[in-house]
Amino acid sequence: MAKRVSAREEALELLAGRTAFGAAFFDVATEALAIGLDYRLGGVALLSADGKSVELLSLHDRDGKRRPRGYPLTGSPCQRVYKAKPDRPHVFISGSATRRYSNIAGLGKLGALCYRGEVFCGPDGKQAGHVFAAGTRPDEDNADARAFFRMVSQRVGAEYNRGLAEDALKQSELRTRAAEQRLRDAVESLSDGFALYDANDRLVLCNEKWMELYGYGEDEVQPGILYEDLVRLDASRDAVAGDADAYIRQRLAYRRRFLGSFDLQLKDGRWITIRERETSEGGIVGVQTDITDRMEAIESLLGEKHAAEQASVAKSEDLIKISHELRTPMNAIAGFGQIIRSASFGPLGNPRYQEYASDIVAAAEHVLGLVKGLLDGAKADSTGLSLQEEVIDIAETVRAALIFVREAAAKKQIAIDLYLADDMPKLRADPRKLKQILLNLLANGIKFTPPGGRVMIMVHGSARDGFVFEIADSGPGIADVDIDHGLREYGQVRGDGTASEEGTGLGLPLASALAVLHGGTLELDSAVDFGTLVTVRLPWDRAVISEDGRRASV
């Protein structure tokens, strides 16, 4: 014979046997409450914002009466529930006391003889709603009934708060997805390439322009790929100019040390500027801009400027030659005029000849003065070592120098990398002489670097280090004993990798002299088979500061 199950056990099995959440769970809870207490009603209600009414979340009526949506607390025993003390939250009303209430759960007079209710609170600890039950038969308030009611009430409160947390989480996820989508849309709208890496150097986000610049396919590059793998991918696809192994070593070595901007030439001849910043979380954000058109325009303009400068030099040289050719006969004319005027070989016969001779001497001396002025001006313009200082843009000056060595580098398939620090102030210097320093050092690096090698120029600065220009090459290097000789005029170092290279030996000494003329220094650091590093330092007091005390940005 099967054991008879009590109403309380049936209610507990109902609660334990159904997996439900939200409104469905509230329906199960109110049904279990009515069954377990053997009451007609079981309900869950939510308190209104003004605290004067409630909205029913669930109402189980065992007699099947139609469920209302809500009801005012006035005239209902539920009002007492919200006034109960926190240490005595359970409200039990029985017998004649229930007849005082004209409205129970919005259903009017039910003939109820007992009522129970408890408040549940929200995440903020404030009253959020209540659980209640009403019966049409007398009942007694006992510990067992209270414990059962408390268990159901706490389950309802926990489910209510879980639902709020889930809703909040969903809203947060929706807001996060919306923010991410707005970010993606903004990134995709950029005309430049954009890439974001996390603190572990893994790709987080990029746009189509970035993929196009490097020629990546979606099957090759996905979020999560390491920066190192991207660099190796570039090298394996022969996407960058110069030696692939040198490219990998340099990019990885300078990844964290040199965040700023640098120019990179791709294998197809295009140029891109890469600007990188560190994020607050330790990641790196990079923006890549195709500057091929700009570099070609600069090359064209600088070519015209160079041609004009060469024409000016040629003009000066012509003036020097003409001045020399004119000065000799003018000296002779002046000398003969002085002889006639002084009548060194006897009287002239007519006094007017002496006047004419004086005029000849005066005219010759005047022309000699003009010739001397032309000669001095031409010499000063072509060979003078005085500074004609201006406020110059370091980035423009460096890139201008690079333009003139690109062809020589291309003939030897030598890649040139530029690393230019951000927030560099403008520099007070002689632009022609600073460019001459850079041209001499870059030309030397290209001259002595074997085909397929790399030359790198790094520009940075600080109040401690001054303005620093570093030019490094992957050439054969110089032995320690030969470094001093290489810095002397006409001093050329001959080695296994440089025997075929011709030159006057004036490049490094002239660069050093021009650096000293600016109050700076030139240092040479090299080792056989490891290349050469030349460092030019100019004093920081040549930095140009704007009127508001900030650096004049490049």
Side-chain angles (χ1 to χ4, degrees), residues 155 164 171 192 223 257 280 399 418 442 445 471 474 526-527:
R155 288 282 302 276
L164 290 180
Q171 291 299 318
D192 297 331
R257 172 175 172 255
S280 60
R399 287 177 176 140
L418 167 63
L442 287 167
I471 292 86
S474 58
S526 185

Side-chain angles (χ1 to χ4, degrees), residues 96-117:
S96 59
T98 58
R99 300 190 186 99
R100 297 195 311 236
Y101 301 101
S102 59
N103 183 24
I104 296 181
L107 298 177
K109 294 185 177 181
L110 298 175
L113 294 178
C114 55
Y115 172 91
R116 295 179 184 273

Side-chain angles (χ1 to χ4, degrees), residues 323 326-327 329-331 333 360-374:
S323 298
L326 285 173
R327 190 163 57 175
M330 280 295 105
N331 281 325
I333 291 170
I360 291 172
V361 171
E365 288 177 347
H366 177 70
V367 173
L368 281 172
L370 293 176
V371 169
K372 184 177 184 300
L374 287 172

